[in-house]
Each structure stands twice: as structure tokens, then as C-alpha cells.
Amino acid sequence: MPTPTVDALSDPVIGVDPQGILRYGNERAMEVLGWDTNILGTSVFDLIHPDDMNIVVSSMSTVLDKSFGQLLRIRARHSRGMWVHLELRGSVQTVDGDDLIVLVARDTTDRHQLDFDQGDVDVLRSVMDNMHGMVALMTEDGRVRSINGAVTRLLGHDPELIRNQPFVKFLHEDDREEILDIVQALAPASTVNFDARLRDANGTHHVCEFTVNNLLDDPIVGNYIVSAQIATSLADARNLADFLAEHDNRTGLLNRDGFMRAARDLMADGGGLGLMIIDIVQFRSINELYGEPVGDAVLTAVAQRIGQISWPDLLTARFGGDEFVMAVRSSTEASIAMLRERVRRDVARSIAVDEHEVNFAIRTATSFEAQPQGLDSLLVRASNELMSIKRNADPESGGISFDAINQRRAQLDQLRAALNNGEIQPFYQPIVDVDGNVRAVEALVRWVHPVRGVLGVGEILPLAQMAGLAESVDERVLEMALAFAARLEAAGHGTVEVHVNVDPKVIASPAFGPSFLERCQTAGTNPSQMVVEITETDLLAPGATSLSNMDKLRRAGTHVSIDDFGTGYSSLAHLLELPVDGVKIDRRFVAGIDIDPAATNLTTAILGLSDSLKLTCVAEGVEQPYQRDRLAERGCSLFQGWLFAPATHGDEVLQMLPRISPTIDDDARAPSP
């Protein structure tokens, strides 16, 4: 196929056989996608963005039915792992006796990068293509004008072949006449809902719920808007809604309404009825001492242990907060007493959460009626007993002392004050090459405590999360890190990058990307001097907003790096899809090099992977000269750890530049914070 005419085209030209194997690419195609001739002979489907796959498959499977393909917009994988936006048209041509699908493409990546130039039309098109519900425009005479991407994803219809086809052609023949009558009777600017069976590309019919809007008189739309969802998913949603109406959404136990209904049914079957209320001792104090995530874990554990108790005619419920209720049908009060002892034995056991062993106690109160007259009286009697138990209880029962709670409250107050008076600030740990030249620094949060000295993230983060100040701490660190980057540039060290850690919830916020770049401008910081680090486990399933923010930062020159790489078990394919520029090898693997074969092999693999993908690779936690030497032998060029320097104040970092010498003092053998 290669001809002087094709090779000279300024647009990419690709040749694909009917099986999807790439047979030809002109020089421009190789340049745009970063390929070399080794890519020939591979499947083109390996290069297509997953969200565009169905459209490509549908178009290729029907290409023989078209004289010339309609314009398609897809994303193809660049050799560096980023996605290149292409507009392309294809046709079948015979080349050297073989039928090839010849695709002439246009690189529109720059257009997609300039979001502010796209306008509302492109935004709406993207929304339509990515929404989960199926949408079609139908003309006044009942023909399909266009469909969104969900129709192709869910039903497999080729958007090119479905265009101008009668809409009723895709309905079950038994539904067509009724649906025609419904739509024709629909008044302008009105809406109608109905169920009908819709045919997919393979001829199978699916029950769908339709909504049709008559916008024929609208000067812009001028069509019917037909939206639909496959009814099976809606039925699942209804079942979930019905379940949540009578169950607690956190624990899965019955809620108050579900319990009252089920208990009345139990009473209607006859026999005595016993009730028990279960209360967690000092639950509020558990939240204050350990934080709300630990409190949630205690609630979950109690609910699971209650739910696992096997007992005839037993109902379990959570009424809210830390209050659980059980009901059991029994002919004697002895049965509820036996259940009470079972609950005390099985439920009130400590749990392990992160590094904490959390001990907690429970209180139980019961009531019983051999011939119950009503649930309300039983609940009142059990509640009164519980209140009496609480009044007479040891104020420090439950394994949590008031001294510990008061100490934690004082620490939270100190953290709030520390934010206000500037004690919370970043220290900077150098990232150096093998010769000790400082290439970057990482901003690590520190608390310069007036009494306890400099405290690390392990002291700050749990307190900040309990006090709801984690975001404020991150904001302070980012603000000061941006200012320090500007100081570096002013001092002639503008090539020294500044790494900052970003919480996954923050990068998932739509405002993060624009806000970050705006703050760079306010601080006088060059965005290309900044590196945003995101923990690998937070990137295993990144949302569209996170990926969009990462793209915005990279287009502005800011690098994005995966922190603690190797701990989240990312596959090569997953890493290829992420818009990142570098990785940081987790310190646990660095510590195990030449000691633990698994850690050594994984570190070697990460370095090889980074080199092949042209990613920057930093080894964290380098504390010994042999670790640096082994890493360098395996191709690592950047190091961070106490062998070179601990995290220190920005003024001290400026004095170290441009080069620092490794130290192997005893004090430097402590693990990097």
C-alpha cells in the first residue's frame, strides 16, 4: 500500500485488514501516535480507548455495507500511554490484491486540550456520548436522526446504519401500532412514558422504559427526543429502594419501620414476645478518642455479630446511632434471658482497626410479655431499664478513661491553634541523583510543636481527620509549597521541582485542576516546577473528573506521579491508561532489596517498566549506601531518603543546594518519615 501520494499526506493514514490487524501506517500516523514499524501486525483494537470500542467494532463490522464511512471521533493510545483524539473516515480499498480498510485521520488532540475553545456544543456532545441512558432524536415522520453512545454500548447498533431508519423498525412488531398511536397523539412540548420492547443489533428484544418529548416546534431541536433505559436495571433499582425502605443502609439490619412491621407479624402468629435493646458504652467517646472511621468499624462489627446469631424466630434491627434492638418469640421469659447472655458473650469483643485494638462494652435491657398487647409498651419498658442501667453505671466503664478522652480533646484544640499560629508547615526532603545533585524536593507536613518538638504526619493526620481539619492542613501545605517553589526559582534553582501530595477526594473535585493552576499564578509559581503525587491505591479506579484534572495539570506543565508504586498491584495495562509522568517505588521494597527476593524482583521490574514507558522513577526510603548502589545498578537515577537528608525547613534546603553529600551517621539510619 505505501505510495508516494499517501506517504506525503499531512494527515495520518492507517490501513487495517477486516480482522482488525494493522497493516500500514504512513509517516504522519507513526509521528502522531509515537509508533514505529514494530506496531504493524498488531490488533488495532489494542490501541482504542475502551469507551470507544463498541463504536469502532460496529463501524468495522458494517464497513462493507457503506460506500464511504461517516466521520468518527475516537481516542487512540499513544506510545507514552496518553490518549490521542482523532477524527477519521474509512473506506474499503483493494491494495495488492487484499481488501484493506483505509482510514484517513485528523489529530484533534490540541482542540480537546483547549477546553475553553470547545464551546457548549462539544460539551453537550460529550455528555450525550458518555451518559448511561439511551437517547435518540426522531424526526416528525418517525425516522432516527441520531443516537448517543449508550445505544451502541448497550444494544450494539451502528450509528451510521441506524440513521434515517424508521424508529418503529427497532420495536417489537406487537408493540409498533400502539406506540405509533401514543406518539402521534402527543401534543407539542408534552411528554409521555411507556414500556416497549426494543431490538438490539443481534435481533434480541429488551423491555425498556421510554420517555418521549415532543419538541417538533422547538426552533433549535425540531425533533422528538426519545430516551430509554433497559427495564432490568430499573427493576434492580426499585428492589434496592424497597429494601432500603425497611433496612438500615449502613448495616443491612432492619430499620425502625421494618422492625415494627416484622415484629407485629411475629406477634400475630401468637405466643409470647421478648425485646432487647443493645447500647454501646461510651460510643461517642470512641469517636472522639479514635476518630469516626473507627467508630464506624465498631458499629459494623456489632451489627455483623448480632446478625450472625442463630436463634429461632429472631428479628434484629438498628434504630439509629449506636442503638440496636432484637425481638424473639418465646413462651417464657427464660428464653430472652438466654439470648441476653449470648449477646453479651458474642458481641462485646474487641476489634482491630488499623493499628488500634479497640475495646468496647455493651449494655442490654429487656422486656417480656407472655400475651403481648403492643410493641410500644415493650419498647418503653426496655428503654426505661436501659436508662436505669446508664444512671447506675461506672462512669469509666467500657475500657475508655475520661483522662484519655480529655487528653485527645486537648490535642485537637492544640491542632486548631497550630493551624492559626503557623505551627503547621511543610518540611522539604530532597530528591537527588546518584551524585547527590538535588533534582526535586517533596513537601511533607510537620507540626513545629512548642513543647514536643517537630511532629510528623503520623501525629498530625489522625488528629486532623478527627477534627475535620485534614483539608485545611493540606491547603496550608500546598500554599506554602507553592511559595517555596517561587523562592527556589528566585534563588536560581528553578529546575528543582517541588512534589506535593494530593488527597484523592480533592483531585476528584471538578474545581481542583483550575484552582491549582490559579493558585500557581497567584503565588508566582511556574506550574511546570510542581509535581502532584497521588497514592497508587487511589488510582486503581480513577473517575472521569480525576482523570480530567490530571490531564489539565499535565497540559499546563505540571507533572503527575504515582506515590508508593507497587503496593496497589497495578497491571501494566492499567498504568498505560493513566496520564502520569512518573512513579515512586514504595520504601518497603527499597528496604528489602538484596534481602527479600520478592522485593528485589519487584523493584527491578518497576525500574524496567518505568524505563520502557519513559517515566521518571524515584526510590523512596533510601537509607544505606548499598541500597543506592543496587538501585543505580538496576537503572534508578533518583533517590530520596535519610542517606542524603531528612525532611527539613525550607531555609536549610536552600543552603544545601545544589548538591548534598550522603551521610551514614547513626542518626541517619532512622526510617524516612
Side-chain angles (χ1 to χ4, degrees):
M1 177 176 176
T3 65
T5 302
V6 173
D7 286 334
L9 287 177
S10 60
D11 288 328
V13 178
I14 302 164
V16 181
D17 68 19
Q19 287 72 44
I21 303 302
L22 188 64
R23 297 302 183 190
Y24 171 75
N26 69 349
E27 291 184 2
R28 179 56 178 159
M30 299 298 182
E31 177 185 343
V32 168
L33 295 172
W35 300 338
D36 57 30
T37 53
N38 292 331
I39 197 72
L40 300 180
T42 62
S43 173
V44 72
F45 298 119
D46 294 337
L47 308 173
I48 303 300
H49 193 286
D51 290 345
D52 299 334
M53 189 64 69
N54 283 341
I55 293 176
V56 172
V57 171
S58 297
S59 297
M60 290 188 64
S61 65
T62 57
V63 70
L64 297 177
D65 300 328
K66 313 167 191 174
S67 58
F68 207 88
Q70 187 176 338
L71 184 69
L72 295 180
R73 294 180 177 87
I74 66 165
R75 288 157 289 183
R77 192 192 310 280
H78 191 276
S79 64
R80 285 288 307 276
M82 65 188 72
W83 294 108
V84 177
H85 294 259
L86 299 175
E87 291 181 345
L88 49 86
R89 294 180 186 272
S91 64
V92 176
Q93 298 184 25
T94 301
V95 180
D96 296 333
D98 295 325
D99 288 337
L100 291 182
I101 304 169
V102 179
L103 303 167
V104 180
R106 176 175 297 173
D107 181 10
T108 61
T109 304
D110 291 340
R111 185 193 310 169
H112 285 268
Q113 289 177 346
L114 299 175
D115 292 337
F116 50 86
D117 283 343
Q118 289 186 28
D120 292 342
V121 173
D122 285 340
V123 172
L124 290 174
R125 181 185 292 116
S126 179
V127 170
M128 290 288 288
D129 285 342
N130 290 285
M131 65 190 302
H132 294 295
M134 297 181 286
V135 180
L137 290 180
M138 186 175 69
T139 63
E140 186 173 7
D141 62 355
R143 294 183 176 274
V144 177
R145 176 178 173 182
S146 64
I147 59 175
N148 73 337
V151 178
T152 300
R153 290 194 299 271
L154 297 176
L155 301 179
H157 289 301
D158 183 343
E160 299 174 20
L161 294 183
I162 202 173
R163 182 186 292 271
N164 292 324
Q165 296 293 319
F167 179 75
V168 294
K169 174 182 176 181
F170 302 96
L171 295 174
H172 193 282
E173 58 183 9
D174 293 341
D175 296 339
R176 293 174 183 174
E177 185 175 350
E178 179 183 0
I179 301 308
L180 274 175
D181 292 341
I182 292 174
V183 173
Q184 290 173 353
L186 185 62
S190 298
T191 301
V192 64
N193 300 309
F194 54 83
D195 293 344
R197 288 162 288 183
L198 191 62
R199 178 174 58 82
D200 64 21
N202 296 321
T204 302
H205 287 87
H206 304 267
V207 177
C208 296
E209 289 198 355
F210 288 85
T211 299
V212 177
N213 298 337
N214 183 348
L215 295 180
L216 294 174
D217 293 342
D218 186 282
I220 297 176
V221 179
N223 291 271
Y224 291 101
I225 297 180
V226 182
S227 57
Q229 291 194 30
I230 297 177
T232 51
S233 61
L234 296 179
D236 292 340
R238 290 194 188 99
N239 292 336
L240 178 60
D242 292 341
F243 178 83
L244 293 178
E246 294 194 342
H247 291 78
D248 176 55
N249 61 354
R250 173 176 289 180
T251 65
L253 300 178
L254 291 168
N255 59 20
R256 178 184 288 271
D257 291 340
F259 177 84
M260 298 297 282
R261 181 198 57 75
R264 289 191 178 99
D265 292 343
L266 202 62
M267 289 174 57
D269 293 336
L273 188 70
L275 290 184
M276 178 164 48
I277 299 177
I278 303 166
D279 169 76
I280 302 173
V281 177
Q282 293 190 12
F283 179 71
R284 180 179 176 184
S285 298
I286 292 175
N287 278 333
E288 292 180 345
L289 187 61
Y290 299 110
E292 290 188 5
V294 174
D296 290 344
V298 171
L299 283 177
T300 300
V302 170
Q304 288 177 343
R305 292 168 183 176
I306 289 174
Q308 289 170 355
I309 293 176
S310 179
W311 203 274
D313 295 325
L314 177 66
L315 300 175
T316 57
R318 177 180 178 233
F319 273 23
D322 63 330
E323 184 177 83
F324 297 84
V325 181
M326 306 178 81
V328 62
R329 187 170 60 184
S330 174
S331 58
T332 65
E333 193 168 358
S335 181
I336 192 70
M338 292 172 60
L339 178 61
R340 188 175 194 171
E341 289 303 315
R342 172 79 176 274
V343 168
R344 287 173 174 171
R345 183 181 73 247
D346 291 356
V347 175
R349 292 181 282 112
S350 64
I351 64 169
V353 183
D354 295 330
E355 299 178 357
H356 302 291
E357 181 178 359
V358 182
N359 294 291
F360 63 92
I362 61 171
R363 302 185 185 97
T364 59
T366 63
S367 59
F368 175 80
E369 290 183 1
Q371 296 181 337
Q373 302 301 310
L375 283 175
D376 291 339
S377 62
L378 284 167
L379 284 169
V380 168
R381 285 171 52 194
S383 297
N384 289 339
E385 181 185 343
L386 183 63
M387 292 301 297
S388 176
I389 292 172
K390 287 182 177 181
R391 284 193 296 268
N392 297 322
D394 178 357
E396 293 196 357
S397 63
I400 302 175
S401 70
F402 283 160
D403 288 342
I405 295 170
N406 290 333
Q407 181 182 8
R408 184 53 56 96
R409 287 173 177 167
Q411 291 172 343
L412 295 175
D413 291 339
Q414 291 171 12
L415 178 61
R416 294 186 183 96
L419 270 170
N420 293 329
N421 61 28
E423 294 174 10
I424 302 298
Q425 56 188 260
F427 276 28
Y428 302 92
Q429 186 170 35
I431 298 172
V432 304
D433 62 22
V434 71
D435 296 320
N437 298 305
V438 179
R439 301 301 185 186
V441 294
E442 180 180 1
L444 300 168
V445 63
R446 294 293 183 265
W447 182 351
V448 185
H449 198 284
V451 177
R452 301 174 61 196
V454 178
L455 306 180
V457 65
E459 296 274 357
I460 302 169
L461 186 58
L463 287 174
Q465 290 174 337
M466 290 181 207
L469 297 173
E471 186 174 345
S472 298
V473 169
D474 290 344
E475 288 285 317
R476 173 66 54 84
V477 171
L478 176 58
E479 177 184 351
M480 298 185 71
L482 291 172
F484 184 67
R487 285 185 64 192
L488 285 171
E489 186 170 23
H493 303 295
T495 59
V496 176
E497 297 177 329
V498 178
H499 291 232
V500 290
N501 293 279
V502 176
D503 186 277
K505 291 181 293 187
V506 174
I507 202 168
S509 167
F512 171 73
S515 173
F516 182 91
L517 298 176
E518 183 179 339
R519 295 177 72 164
C520 285
Q521 184 177 8
T522 301
T525 304
N526 186 346
S528 63
Q529 198 176 351
M530 302 302 297
V531 179
V532 169
E533 292 189 12
I534 308 170
T535 304
E536 182 192 9
T537 50
D538 300 323
L539 282 175
L540 291 180
T545 304
S546 298
L547 293 174
S548 175
N549 278 327
M550 293 161 69
D551 280 329
K552 284 185 174 68
L553 296 182
R554 296 178 77 227
R555 290 199 300 269
T558 300
H559 291 168
V560 178
S561 180
I562 304 179
D563 196 14
D564 299 335
F565 189 74
T567 60
Y569 309 104
S570 284
S571 66
L572 172 61
H574 183 74
L575 182 58
L576 285 169
E577 295 172 1
L578 293 173
V580 297
D581 306 280
V583 298
K584 296 183 78 173
I585 304 174
D586 185 77
R587 65 184 69 251
R588 284 172 288 180
F589 303 120
V590 172
I593 197 165
D594 279 358
I595 299 173
D596 179 358
T600 302
N601 292 337
L602 182 56
T603 301
T604 303
I606 293 172
L607 288 167
L609 176 64
S610 302
D611 180 64
S612 65
L613 296 179
K614 304 297 187 293
L615 299 176
T616 302
C617 186
V618 180
E620 294 185 289
V622 180
E623 299 168 9
Q624 302 294 340
Y626 83 86
Q627 294 172 340
R628 173 202 56 198
D629 296 341
R630 297 298 181 273
L631 288 163
E633 290 170 2
R634 289 167 170 79
C636 185
S637 58
L638 293 174
F639 312 89
Q640 179 180 356
W642 277 59
L643 176 64
F644 300 94
T648 187
H649 194 275
D651 293 339
E652 296 182 28
V653 171
L654 285 170
Q655 294 175 7
M656 295 178 185
L657 298 175
R659 184 178 183 277
I660 58 179
S661 299
T663 174
I664 54 173
D665 294 340
D666 289 340
D667 291 341
R669 297 182 188 274
S672 303

